[in-house]
Amino acid sequence: MEMERAKQLFTGMDRKDQLYFANVWGIAVFGLFLLFTFTVAGTDTALRVMVILTEIFGVVTLAAGIAGIIYFTGERRWFSIAVVSFLSVWAIFAIGYEIGLGEPMSNYWLLFITYYIFLIASVVFIRLSYSRIDNVLKVVPAVFLFINALLTLYMVFLNMWWGLTA
C-alpha cells in the first residue's frame, strides 16, 4: 500500500521536480559514500571500490546539477549552481587522486593551481547561492563551504609537503 503510494507520488511529478530531487538526493548519496570512503581508508580493495562508487555518484550528480542549471529558474537554479560548484572542486581532487595524488608528481603545481582556481570560483558561487536560496535547503551551501574547507586544508598540507620534498 505505502509502496504504491510512494510510486504514484514520484511518477506523478513532472520532470523538473524529478530533476530537483535528483540533485538533492544525489548530493546526499555522494556525501554518504564519501563518508563511507573515509571509513574504509585502511583497506586497499574496499577503498578502491568505495572510491569508484563515490566517483560514479559524483559524476551522475554533477550531470544532474548541470541539467538543473539549464532547466531551472530562480531558487532551484541556484541550488544546482551550488551543487555543481561543490562537485567541481571534488572533481579536480578525484582527477588528482586517479593520476597519483598520493605520491609527488613532476608537475604537481599544475594540479594545485587548477584546484585553487576552482576553489575560489566555487566559494564565490556557493556564497551567491547561499544568499539566493530561501527554503530549508539554505543550509546545504554552508555545509558545502565547510566540506570544501576541509578538503582545502588537506590540499594545502599536500602542497606544502611536496614543496618541501621537491
Side-chain angles (χ1 to χ4, degrees):
M1 177 80 169
E2 291 297 321
M3 227 15 208
E4 186 63 36
R5 185 171 167 233
K7 182 180 174 185
Q8 185 181 33
L9 178 69
F10 188 70
T11 56
M13 285 189 254
D14 64 341
R15 297 288 182 193
K16 287 188 177 183
D17 288 340
Q18 289 176 355
L19 183 61
Y20 181 65
F21 283 120
N23 277 322
V24 172
W25 288 108
I27 202 66
V29 169
F30 175 77
L32 183 68
F33 273 83
L34 193 64
L35 181 65
F36 288 160
T37 301
F38 292 142
T39 59
V40 298
T43 59
D44 188 39
T45 306
L47 176 67
R48 192 72 206 141
V49 169
M50 291 308 296
V51 165
I52 290 171
L53 286 173
T54 305
E55 288 172 350
I56 289 169
F57 284 121
V59 167
V60 169
T61 307
L62 185 63
I66 292 170
I69 291 173
I70 295 169
Y71 292 118
F72 292 147
T73 58
E75 189 171 279
R76 288 183 174 190
R77 174 178 275 173
W78 283 103
F79 183 78
S80 295
I81 289 171
V83 167
V84 170
S85 297
F86 172 71
L87 288 175
S88 65
V89 173
W90 281 92
I92 297 299
F93 175 75
I95 290 168
Y97 178 80
E98 291 298 331
I99 62 172
L101 188 62
E103 55 196 39
M105 302 179 289
S106 60
N107 293 327
Y108 72 92
W109 56 271
L110 184 63
L111 171 69
F112 290 112
I113 288 175
T114 308
Y115 175 80
Y116 295 136
I117 290 170
F118 272 77
L119 176 72
I120 291 168
S122 172
V123 167
V124 168
F125 283 116
I126 290 174
R127 176 64 183 101
L128 285 172
S129 67
Y130 177 79
S131 63
R132 302 234 168 72
I133 295 174
D134 292 328
N135 61 11
V136 71
L137 293 174
K138 189 175 185 93
V139 73
V140 174
V143 172
F144 287 167
L145 285 174
F146 176 73
I147 294 172
N148 277 351
L150 293 177
L151 178 63
T152 302
L153 287 175
Y154 177 70
M155 292 294 281
V156 166
F157 174 75
L158 275 179
N159 195 354
M160 290 186 320
W161 182 263
W162 288 353
L164 292 175
T165 59

